[in-house]
Amino acid sequence: MDERNWTDRPLQIGDEIRIGPVRVVHKSLGFAALLSGNLDAAVKALAPDAPMIGLNGEVGEQDFVLRIGRDRALLVSKDQIVEETGWNCDGYAFSAADDCYCLLEISGDRDDYFLAQGTSCHLGNSSPSAAIMFAGVNSLLARKRAVRCLFVDRAHLTYVSSWLRGAASPDPPPLK
Amino acid sequence: MTAWRHSRLGSEIDRTTRIGFTFDGRSCFGYAGDTIASALMGAGVSTMGRSFKYHRPRSVWGMGSEEPNAIVDVIHEGVTTPNIRATSCELKSGMEVRSVNTSPDAERDRLRVLDYLHRFLPAGFYYKTFMALDWMRYEPRIRRMAGLGSLDPNHHGESASPQFNHSCDLLVIGGGPAGLAAARAAASSGRQVWLCDEAPVPGGSLRWRGGKIAGRDWTEFVKSCCDIVERAGGRVLTSTTVWGAFDHGLFAAWRRLEDGPDQQLRIRANETVLAAGSLERLGWFANNDLPGVMSAEAALYYLNCHGVVAGRDIVVATGSDASYPVAAALQQAGARVMIADMRQETPAPPEGVNLARGQFVTAAKGKRSVESAQIGDTMVKADAILVASGRTPSVHLHCQAGGKLDWDEEIDCLVPRSGTSQMRTIGAANGTFGLKASLYEGHFACGGTSEIELPDDVLDWSWEKHRPDPDLTGRQWIDLQSDVTLNDIGLAAREGFTSVEHLKRYTTLGMATDQGRTSNFGGLAAMAAQTGKTIPETGTTNYRPPFVPVPFNVIAGRRRGELFNPPKRLDLEAGHRSNNAQFREYGGWLRPAVYGAGREADLAAEEARAARNTVGVFDASPLGKLEVIGPKAAELLDFVSYRKISTLKPGRARYSFILTESGIVFDDGVVLRLGEDHFVVSASSSHVAGVRFTLEDARQDRFGGRDVFIHDVTSGWTTLTVTGPKAQLLCKQAGLGPPDIPHLGCAEVSYNGHAMRIARISFTGDISYEISVPARHGASLHETVSAALDYCGGRWIGLEAVMTLRTEKGFILIGKDTDGLTMPHDLGWGAPRFKRKDDFLGKRSLFTSAAEDKNRRQLIGLTVPDENPVPVGSHLVPLNGERRSLGFVTSSCFSPALNRPIALALLEGGFSKPGELVGCYDDGVVIEARVCDACAFDASGERLHG
């Protein structure tokens, strides 16, 4: 194809995609920060009540920490996180990352069929790390009750939303 | 071959639904439930195609994916699908079926004359032919004659073949008796089972062999198995071919749907059982490829499933009791049947069937199809010869998964060696033949504990060994699809290609799309006989995916077109579009190339001129922002960078390279020091991930993974670069940051209550400021800067203008002005390698004899007398003497500031050749150019410092 001929456009916050019974909404992430190193100390200092969440973990309505790797996590908060970017003497690194990720909320009947098109991870299982490959790009996956929360790199948002827009509807179930 | 449709038989066709189609333009009909092959046989079509090499007439041999002959192109609903196996494709109304490798059609193929010239087309034909004479003259003609079906260049495939990832507890591959018994046993104990079968209905050989299991009809057994599997939360997937076994228990399956696009399933299972059955081997006698010679098991399948009788005068050439029910069924269907059994001791023949004991067919006779069969000294009238000379377990997936094979002398087969692959193999695929034994093995393989239902009658499935006979007169085919004969195997052996891998490549044995299912055993047996070895000593070739030809669109799924290699997108894309930006992909990002309508080169020149005269702004958001944080951050960067970073003061920036271990320039960029233990590595847009991995490698291996960490926050920031003589004015007008940052200085400031970082770094040679804000504030910054641009008389500039500006200054672009051999001293950065006493990445490689060679290709500039730039990639050649490449042009453009073309190039010993003339060779034309300094504009750097 022509390298100039890109027809898709970014998905704005609040925009919605419907694929059969599945609904995908681009939601505001709030505020976020990347943490590395002593995660316990970082969470204790920055958001002591925030749970550390892995794959399919319940994010709830309050602050939470999505574990990316053994010593790396994404702190997500409704409020601005007051901390100076850099090294903290408690042994962790802090970087403001408010805009590094975008949040896509995916809900609807048979959303597991829908998501199974993009990831090979077992959507019924959990894992200490929320990191997955979705549609070929690094992402984080958690849930808010029945809603799947997919965190994608901001620069990949347009691609992922195009990918989702063209995914096969899970209605009827593809494996019936 | 005169196959015909029986008036009553055919359990899988619906005679109330006639389906019309054409074959090579001839109108035919079949019934719902037919495959193309069964419909063609039922329509009396004898020649369905021509052989690959000799263009001999061919018809159906088998009944599934093993089919080597009946390969057709199908046009249906405007879509052409080439090289479909007629045996595996369901017949649909209006199909236009075309034979492949024929002209004008299968019946009247003009190239059948090649068969008379077969002595001149031996094994290794291409290898021998393309060494002779002026081969380039005749190669295109031979190439046109080769190949099978024809692609429709206008066909782009289905737009979306969905791909699904799934996992299950137990994956059973193959829905025959063994697979069904295994699935049922596992599901009965509560396991979630996925049962995949490539046929449209499960049952395997039960579909045509039929019979009773524990006194009940076989269909009840199949139904009960499927019900139990589904009740336990499992799946029964028909028309689903598991085509590849990959690492870590991953299987790929191709699923064909009636009412939707094909799907690809990626299945991960806790446990896998392979029950893929076995395939009938070819029988070896003269002309064993003629239409009418086919698998005895396939003939029974066509009879019972599709009501097609293979012929009227049928010879069953066998060495096994298992063929006797075939003969009986065909006789009862109305054919005249004779059994030629190579054994002396046989069962009594079925009623009405003649039996020749101790005899086998030695030749098939006939011009276009079988007309008679030679059995010993007797010639017997026959229009079909059904062959049953042994079975080969279908072990492909076991071997794809790394499994080994053992030779089982008793059953004359290679069988899977237990425990050598990730799956267990059962049933005929494991060399366990016969319904009773298969059910038994399947049941207990998957934890069956209860009483097993077994069939009422038991058949002896052993057979007499049969091998190709080199003493027989006439050509015997070993590989039907690749047109390999026994003589070819002999020739390969005489010419020294006795290794099985050499045999495969020299003769093309087993290299066709049937993956040698019917041919490999015969080839091995023939080579073993030639070399005096046993079959296990001869060995087998490797088995690789796919098990069957899978359409590309199924494998590609949705990663095609815009989704094939999608670029990252700028946060300000909408803003740039509103300024009429024309976009292109640069280093994995979609970025503005130029703004406005018109010729790109003209627009870029205008933008570059404006940036030199007033001020230009471009979106530099893709520049890497790798935060390196921690007490050992400086130490890490010292090790990874070519220039020392720890001496940098906070608030300052330094240009440096990152090298590979071999000393080659991997990336260049600027490192900002924001605090004692906080740096930002501004990697090239296209190298962010690579630089991060390089940093991570060193961090984890050398620094123990503690006290220094790397955060990639590239996507979280929007960066606009303001460049030009009025850059400071624009910043002031927009209210951005402190005005007195020195060159290579940086500052973190607050702008409208949020963070902003300003770095004075130049990629253009003019005063430049990189202004970065959190991406959510990018639109606001864009608006502010746009207003200030209008005030200053500047403009937005695209990447094409930036390329012009940096080329004028001799600033490099990694990967464009460097290649896989370029070291920093080739770019004029030789000092750090001598100055630095400490260790750094790539250091030792900078002092090898090759690294210190004076004639290394070095970065220089070129001036050309012509008005047009020299093409990028032009080779630099001597103007006198023998022509050879001295290097090549890496960047080239017309400089609006200098009003002449400029170029950068890598030239052998270039630093020592200023003022010399070289030739720029492109497409047969040599343009004279003079070597000069890479920096063509403002060499003293006055503009940079204001």
Side-chain angles (χ1 to χ4, degrees):
Chain A
M1 61 171 285
D2 190 322
E3 62 172 331
R4 298 157 186 266
N5 185 24
W6 297 87
T7 58
D8 50 358
R9 294 289 180 269
L11 200 66
Q12 302 300 319
I13 287 180
D15 283 359
E16 177 180 321
I17 305 169
R18 276 197 178 271
I19 307 99
V22 175
R23 179 170 173 257
V24 180
V25 186
H26 180 197
K27 286 293 194 74
S28 169
L29 184 65
F31 297 90
L34 279 169
L35 309 173
S36 289
N38 187 341
L39 296 182
D40 289 340
V43 174
K44 191 176 174 185
L46 299 169
D49 298 328
M52 184 78 80
I53 288 166
L55 179 66
N56 279 329
E58 177 72 35
V59 300
E61 298 295 337
Q62 304 305 316
D63 296 356
F64 57 90
V65 182
L66 279 169
R67 191 166 206 140
I68 300 171
R70 188 173 46 211
D71 56 5
R72 184 158 306 168
L74 181 75
L75 168 62
V76 180
S77 173
K78 283 185 170 175
D79 305 315
Q80 184 132 24
I81 304 163
V82 183
E83 172 82 0
E84 195 169 328
T85 292
W87 183 250
N88 187 288
C89 58
D90 286 338
Y92 64 89
F94 176 96
S95 289
D98 296 338
D99 301 328
C100 288
Y101 288 90
C102 292
L103 169 60
L104 296 172
E105 289 191 349
I106 300 167
S107 57
D109 290 346
R110 295 181 286 277
D111 60 350
D112 51 346
Y113 277 123
F114 181 74
L115 287 167
Q117 296 175 67
T119 181
S120 61
C121 81
H122 196 305
L123 293 164
N125 286 355
S126 60
S127 160
S129 166
I132 61 166
M133 290 286 278
F134 187 84
V137 298
N138 292 317
S139 312
L140 306 170
L141 184 65
R143 61 160 65 238
K144 189 192 291 177
R145 292 184 293 279
V147 178
R148 308 270 188 176
C149 300
L150 183 69
F151 300 80
V152 299
D153 184 290
R154 189 180 189 92
H156 283 132
L157 173 66
T158 304
Y159 158 64
V160 173
S161 53
S162 298
W163 192 98
L164 291 168
R165 197 176 279 120
S169 167
D171 190 19
L175 292 180
K176 273 289 176 190
Chain B
M1 183 185 192
T2 48
W4 49 284
R5 184 82 75 170
H6 194 271
S7 60
R8 184 174 43 80
L9 294 172
S11 61
E12 294 184 7
I13 57 170
D14 174 8
R15 288 178 189 268
T16 63
T17 309
R18 280 169 62 119
I19 292 180
F21 69 104
T22 64
F23 176 70
D24 279 349
R26 172 188 152 189
S27 294
C28 305
F29 79 88
Y31 296 108
D34 262 329
T35 62
I36 292 174
S38 66
L40 287 172
M41 290 170 71
V45 174
S46 172
T47 305
M48 297 184 192
R50 290 281 168 169
S51 70
F52 178 70
K53 192 169 166 185
Y54 303 117
H55 284 250
R56 285 171 64 88
R58 291 284 170 81
S59 187
V60 171
W61 154 265
M63 55 180 160
S65 57
E66 81 282 10
E67 174 59 36
N69 290 335
I71 295 169
V72 293
D73 288 350
V74 174
I75 304 169
H76 186 239
E77 295 179 348
V79 175
T80 301
T81 310
N83 298 326
I84 284 182
R85 289 193 146 64
T87 48
S88 303
C89 181
E90 187 185 346
L91 185 71
K92 289 179 182 163
S93 181
M95 270 184 169
E96 190 182 323
V97 181
R98 292 190 311 218
S99 57
V100 300
N101 201 29
T102 61
S103 174
D105 54 42
E107 200 63 44
R108 298 172 294 165
D109 181 48
R110 293 188 192 101
L111 288 174
R112 62 184 184 272
V113 67
L114 288 174
D115 193 33
Y116 297 105
L117 304 174
H118 67 267
R119 290 182 193 285
F120 303 103
L121 303 169
F125 170 74
Y126 288 155
Y127 300 122
K128 292 163 180 167
T129 305
F130 293 137
M131 294 171 69
L133 306 174
D134 197 0
W135 62 268
M136 281 173 284
R137 294 191 183 282
Y138 53 78
E139 183 264 351
R141 189 172 177 80
I142 293 176
R143 183 180 290 276
R144 275 198 298 275
M145 288 164 61
L148 295 174
S150 303
L151 288 169
D152 175 2
N154 298 316
H155 172 54
H156 297 291
E158 292 176 63
S159 58
S161 283
Q163 300 190 334
F164 295 95
N165 295 280
H166 288 287
S167 53
C168 60
D169 185 22
L170 174 68
L171 173 65
V172 178
I173 303 167
L180 286 164
R184 189 170 76 158
S188 297
S189 61
R191 298 182 69 181
Q192 184 211 25
V193 180
W194 277 35
L195 176 65
C196 296
D197 193 89
E198 66 177 344
V201 288
S205 60
L206 290 168
R207 292 162 56 207
W208 56 91
R209 286 268 169 184
K212 290 185 181 299
I213 297 173
R216 292 183 296 159
D217 190 72
W218 67 273
T219 53
E220 290 184 34
F221 169 74
V222 173
K223 186 172 183 311
S224 90
C225 289
C226 295
D227 287 347
I228 289 169
V229 166
E230 290 182 342
R231 275 204 302 272
R235 306 270 182 213
V236 177
L237 299 173
T238 54
S239 299
T240 302
T241 307
V242 178
W243 60 263
F246 302 92
D247 290 347
H248 310 299
L250 172 66
F251 291 87
W254 168 32
R255 186 170 183 229
R256 300 167 293 282
L257 295 176
E258 271 286 301
D259 51 355
D262 291 359
Q263 297 175 348
Q264 168 137 293
L265 308 178
R266 286 190 284 261
I267 305 169
R268 285 178 173 81
N270 295 334
E271 188 185 354
T272 306
V273 168
L274 179 65
S278 62
L279 297 168
E280 199 128 54
R281 292 173 190 159
L282 292 185
W284 299 285
F285 48 83
N287 296 326
N288 59 341
D289 68 325
L290 276 179
V293 178
M294 69 184 294
S295 151
E297 199 70 10
L300 187 61
Y301 158 77
Y302 288 113
L303 178 69
N304 285 336
C305 294
H306 299 284
V308 174
V309 191
R312 296 190 186 277
D313 295 290
I314 297 173
V315 171
V316 178
T318 186
S320 168
D321 292 3
S323 302
Y324 282 59
V326 180
L330 289 164
Q331 193 275 336
Q332 286 165 18
R336 292 174 289 276
V337 182
M338 176 181 182
I339 296 175
D341 194 326
M342 63 182 88
R343 300 171 298 176
Q344 291 294 348
E345 291 182 17
T346 71
E351 191 178 340
V353 173
N354 293 324
L355 172 64
R357 288 193 177 87
Q359 305 275 356
F360 198 75
V361 173
T362 53
K365 302 284 185 183
K367 194 175 178 186
R368 289 173 179 258
S369 64
V370 173
E371 293 167 8
S372 59
Q374 187 167 345
I375 303 173
D377 296 331
T378 310
M379 195 66 77
V380 177
K381 182 187 175 190
D383 58 1
I385 300 174
L386 309 183
V387 181
S389 57
R391 300 188 70 82
T392 299
S394 192
V395 295
H396 294 64
L397 290 169
H398 165 80
C399 293
Q400 283 181 24
K404 306 295 180 196
L405 301 175
D406 285 325
W407 176 251
D408 188 325
E409 187 69 34
E410 192 177 332
I411 59 172
D412 199 34
C413 292
L414 286 161
V415 294
R417 186 184 302 164
S418 179
T420 57
S421 79
Q422 58 187 294
M423 64 191 81
R424 275 184 298 158
T425 311
I426 58 170
N430 195 36
T432 305
F433 299 106
L435 181 58
K436 182 178 179 180
S438 292
L439 288 170
Y440 193 86
E441 186 170 275
H443 181 73
F444 288 107
C446 288
T449 51
S450 57
E451 191 91 347
I452 172 75
E453 295 177 348
L454 292 173
D456 298 344
D457 43 35
V458 178
L459 197 62
D460 179 4
W461 277 78
S462 62
W463 53 79
E464 192 79 4
K465 288 179 184 174
H466 181 50
R467 298 286 186 271
D469 183 355
D471 295 330
L472 283 181
T473 305
R475 284 186 285 166
Q476 299 170 57
W477 263 258
I478 301 295
D479 186 330
L480 292 175
Q481 195 176 357
S482 283
D483 246 352
V484 179
T485 66
L486 182 58
N487 291 340
D488 293 327
I489 308 284
L491 181 63
R494 290 197 300 280
E495 294 184 345
F497 297 98
T498 52
S499 149
V500 68
E501 294 289 353
H502 289 157
L503 169 69
K504 173 181 173 179
R505 284 152 184 85
Y506 193 60
T507 63
T508 68
L509 174 80
M511 288 178 70
T513 56
D514 66 348
Q515 292 232 330
R517 283 177 181 69
T518 56
S519 64
N520 279 347
F521 179 84
L524 293 180
M527 182 53 81
Q530 288 281 342
T531 55
K533 293 179 178 175
T534 62
I535 287 178
E537 284 170 345
T538 304
T540 60
T541 53
N542 290 324
Y543 295 79
R544 298 185 181 90
F547 177 64
V548 296
V550 182
F552 283 139
N553 61 309
V554 172
I555 295 174
R558 301 189 44 248
R559 295 299 291 261
R560 50 196 291 186
E562 293 189 17
L563 300 182
F564 175 64
N565 188 20
K568 294 182 179 182
R569 306 293 275 266
L570 297 171
D571 224 59
L572 292 182
E573 184 176 319
H576 297 310
R577 287 192 187 280
S578 69
N579 287 334
N580 297 318
Q582 297 179 28
F583 284 82
R584 268 202 199 185
E585 187 260 323
Y586 295 90
W589 287 77
L590 193 67
R591 304 177 69 176
V594 290
Y595 290 82
R599 208 170 75 92
E600 185 177 271
D602 296 339
L603 292 169
E606 280 177 36
E607 290 171 7
R609 194 176 291 116
R612 286 282 184 234
N613 293 335
T614 56
V615 61
V617 182
F618 62 94
D619 192 335
S621 303
L623 281 175
K625 294 160 196 78
L626 299 170
E627 296 196 345
V628 183
I629 301 169
K632 290 193 176 177
E635 198 180 333
L636 170 67
L637 289 169
D638 272 351
F639 176 72
V640 170
S641 297
Y642 178 59
R643 297 182 72 194
K644 207 163 177 71
I645 301 298
S646 56
T647 54
L648 195 62
K649 290 187 168 43
R652 299 308 301 265
R654 182 165 291 163
Y655 176 76
S656 185
F657 296 107
I658 289 179
L659 311 183
T660 65
E661 288 180 346
S662 49
I664 305 304
V665 176
F666 175 68
D667 192 35
D668 69 342
V670 171
V671 180
L672 315 180
R673 187 165 199 170
L674 301 179
E676 278 301 320
D677 44 20
H678 186 195
F679 296 80
V680 176
V681 177
S682 183
S684 303
S685 309
S686 57
H687 282 75
V688 177
V691 170
R692 182 181 164 189
F693 288 139
T694 303
L695 288 164
E696 277 291 348
D697 269 353
R699 185 185 82 86
Q700 295 181 24
D701 290 349
R702 200 176 173 89
F703 294 86
R706 291 181 300 176
D707 297 330
V708 56
F709 295 93
I710 298 147
H711 290 163
D712 180 0
V713 293
T714 306
S715 300
W717 292 80
T718 290
T719 301
L720 296 181
T721 298
V722 181
T723 180
K726 293 188 178 178
Q728 287 173 326
L729 175 64
L730 185 142
C731 288
K732 281 179 187 163
Q733 179 63 24
L736 304 172
D740 55 351
I741 301 176
H743 178 55
L744 290 174
C746 59
E748 289 181 291
V749 297
S750 175
Y751 174 70
N752 288 346
H754 56 75
M756 174 182 280
R757 184 185 304 144
I758 300 186
R760 187 168 159 186
I761 298 163
S762 178
F763 193 42
T764 64
D766 274 311
I767 292 176
S768 302
Y769 295 95
E770 285 181 3
I771 303 162
S772 301
V773 294
R776 66 184 66 182
H777 303 296
S780 159
L781 179 67
H782 180 268
E783 197 176 323
T784 304
V785 167
S786 292
L789 262 179
D790 290 341
Y791 175 81
C792 298
R795 60 183 296 170
W796 288 94
I797 64 173
L799 264 286
E800 289 304 305
V802 175
M803 292 300 116
T804 299
L805 298 171
R806 67 96 194 163
T807 305
E808 288 173 343
K809 284 296 294 178
F811 293 162
I812 59 163
L813 204 61
I814 300 293
K816 183 168 172 62
D817 299 299
T818 64
D819 64 9
L821 296 171
T822 307
M823 292 179 162
H825 49 282
D826 301 328
L827 304 170
W829 286 85
R833 70 177 176 145
F834 296 117
K835 282 184 180 171
R836 286 189 64 176
K837 303 300 177 198
D838 57 333
D839 203 9
F840 61 90
L841 188 61
K843 180 180 181 180
R844 275 180 289 179
S845 302
L846 300 179
F847 296 95
T848 62
S849 56
E852 302 200 80
D853 185 352
K854 300 290 182 202
N855 279 326
R856 293 183 59 79
R857 289 180 172 179
Q858 295 160 336
L859 185 76
I860 47 97
L862 292 174
T863 56
V864 289
D866 202 356
E867 288 185 357
N868 297 316
V870 290
V872 173
S874 299
H875 278 269
L876 304 183
V877 296
L879 289 170
N880 301 307
E882 187 184 356
R883 179 173 294 172
R884 67 183 187 88
S885 178
L886 303 171
F888 54 93
V889 176
T890 60
S891 295
S892 178
C893 63
F894 186 87
S895 164
L898 300 167
N899 200 30
R900 64 174 172 83
I902 54 170
L904 299 176
L906 288 170
L907 172 67
E908 271 185 19
F911 292 160
S912 61
K913 295 179 180 172
E916 289 187 17
L917 290 173
V918 292
C920 299
Y921 175 90
D922 179 64
D923 204 16
V925 178
V926 177
I927 301 167
E928 207 170 88
R930 190 173 297 279
V931 178
C932 63
D933 191 73
C935 179
F937 180 77
D938 186 29
S940 62
E942 286 174 18
R943 296 171 65 100
L944 191 60
H945 299 285

